[in-house]
Amino acid sequence: MMEGMQGSGVETGKQYDVFHTDCLARNVVDHVTGRWGIWVLIALRRNSLRFYELRDGIQGISEKMLAQTLRALVQDGLVWREVEPTTPPQVTYGLTEFGRDIGEPLTELFDRITRQLPPRTTG
């Protein structure tokens, strides 16, 4: 069973007032640029992952924050969620087309930043 963005009844291409606190686009931006949203999108950029793989791969995130972040990104239509009815359930997450579209410039930003940083030293 896959979950994604619920129908919002908004016309495609409709302009949003992103400076208004009730703006849907503003909420999506807040979820993407929040503390963990960008890292989830970057982690999913190459392939879908299970919950524990995301948790282990994104250092510093708690299970609670990961669950909340994923819930918001699924609701926004950026991430899909698939539950396999096993015991325990296996839950896999991946990027929707919208999520890939949004994640691409974020990945590019991350890559540009890391190219400009001095080389890491070991020791």
Side-chain angles (χ1 to χ4, degrees):
M1 170 170 72
M2 288 185 60
E3 299 174 23
M5 186 174 211
Q6 303 298 318
S8 61
V10 176
E11 294 178 33
T12 303
K14 180 178 178 186
Q15 295 297 313
Y16 291 93
D17 180 3
V18 295
F19 296 106
H20 192 278
T21 57
D22 292 337
C23 179
L24 179 62
R26 183 174 177 161
N27 291 335
V28 174
V29 170
D30 287 346
H31 295 151
V32 169
T33 61
R35 171 108 192 242
W36 300 108
I38 190 170
W39 301 119
V40 169
L41 293 176
I42 289 173
L44 292 171
R45 73 182 180 259
R46 291 197 179 99
N47 54 355
S48 57
L49 297 170
R50 304 249 317 267
F51 182 90
Y52 77 89
E53 293 172 314
L54 284 165
R55 183 198 63 213
D56 294 347
I58 304 173
Q59 294 185 3
I61 194 168
S62 68
E63 284 192 19
K64 178 182 177 183
M65 284 309 305
L66 178 57
Q68 288 176 356
T69 301
L70 286 166
R71 193 174 305 116
L73 295 174
V74 166
Q75 185 176 2
D76 292 339
L78 297 165
V79 171
W80 54 260
R81 177 181 187 263
E82 184 174 20
V83 180
E84 294 181 39
T86 60
T87 305
Q90 294 181 4
V91 184
T92 305
Y93 296 89
L95 294 179
T96 64
E97 185 177 334
F98 182 33
R100 284 190 300 277
D101 191 41
I102 297 300
E104 187 176 317
L106 297 175
T107 299
E108 177 61 27
L109 173 66
F110 178 76
D111 290 345
R112 286 178 183 225
I113 290 169
T114 57
R115 282 194 303 264
Q116 295 300 316
L117 293 175
R120 287 185 50 177
T121 57
T122 58

